[in-house]
Amino acid sequence: MTTLFIDGDACPVRDEACRVAHRHGVPVVVVANGSRPMRRSEWPNVTMVTVAAGADVADDWIAGRIGGADVCVTNDIPLAARCLATGARALSANGRVWTPDNIGNALAGREIGRHLREIGLNTGGPAPMGKRDRSQFLNSLDTLLTAARRPRPPMARPP
């Protein structure tokens, strides 16, 4: 069964994701470390998990439980990479679908940005979410949940 995992700390599309998952009949697990207040979800398919405070504690919780039929919503590129490594699907809050083909470049770009900030350059940060981003997110999540619920074709055996 497919489960939608949401990296809940600072997720700007949590409510939208829960609504789409409810429509698909998919359970949702919102994981956060409690650094920001989280209000209870109105959706019956949503479980809220509060983990201990600390760097990557929520990420570790998700990465330790996500499986190949699942989907994760996260803006954390390393967490997305960890999810992809399990065979799961991942997407960002602006609707960018992470794949094995694009995650390497995203990780490299993240490291370059980190290095530039360390040497004192301002990298600007992410652009604010707009209507177009939310629409792209909704379309991408709908597509990923539909795909995740279909059985994957068996892998071809090497000759």
Side-chain angles (χ1 to χ4, degrees):
M1 173 184 237
T2 297
T3 298
L4 176 64
F5 289 87
I6 300 175
D7 185 3
D9 291 317
C11 180
V13 290
R14 187 181 326 150
D15 292 337
E16 292 92 333
C18 293
R19 186 173 58 247
V20 172
H22 180 75
R23 190 167 28 92
H24 279 269
V26 171
V28 177
V29 180
V30 179
V31 184
N33 68 15
S35 63
R36 295 182 182 185
M38 244 188 352
R39 74 182 199 293
R40 281 261 169 242
S41 174
E42 64 187 65
W43 301 103
N45 61 320
V46 176
T47 302
M48 310 291 267
V49 175
T50 302
V51 297
D56 299 329
V57 176
D59 298 354
D60 292 342
W61 194 97
I62 292 169
R65 289 163 179 80
I66 198 163
D70 299 328
V71 177
C72 181
V73 175
T74 184
N75 283 332
D76 186 295
I77 297 168
L79 174 58
R82 292 171 71 184
C83 292
L84 292 175
T86 71
R89 293 164 172 88
L91 81 153
S92 69
N94 68 4
R96 180 170 187 182
V97 176
W98 299 113
T99 68
D101 292 335
N102 68 17
I103 198 71
N105 284 339
L107 285 166
R110 180 181 181 274
E111 283 304 305
I112 290 168
R114 182 187 60 76
H115 175 72
L116 292 172
R117 285 187 299 279
E118 282 178 358
I119 63 172
L121 295 175
N122 183 356
T123 58
M129 289 273 302
K131 286 183 180 181
R132 187 171 168 196
D133 295 319
R134 287 185 191 281
S135 177
Q136 179 62 43
F137 171 78
L138 292 170
N139 289 333
S140 295
L141 181 58
D142 191 66
T143 299
L144 285 182
L145 288 175
T146 299
R149 295 176 67 211
R150 274 190 242 125
R152 290 189 182 190
M155 294 183 61
R157 293 185 181 173

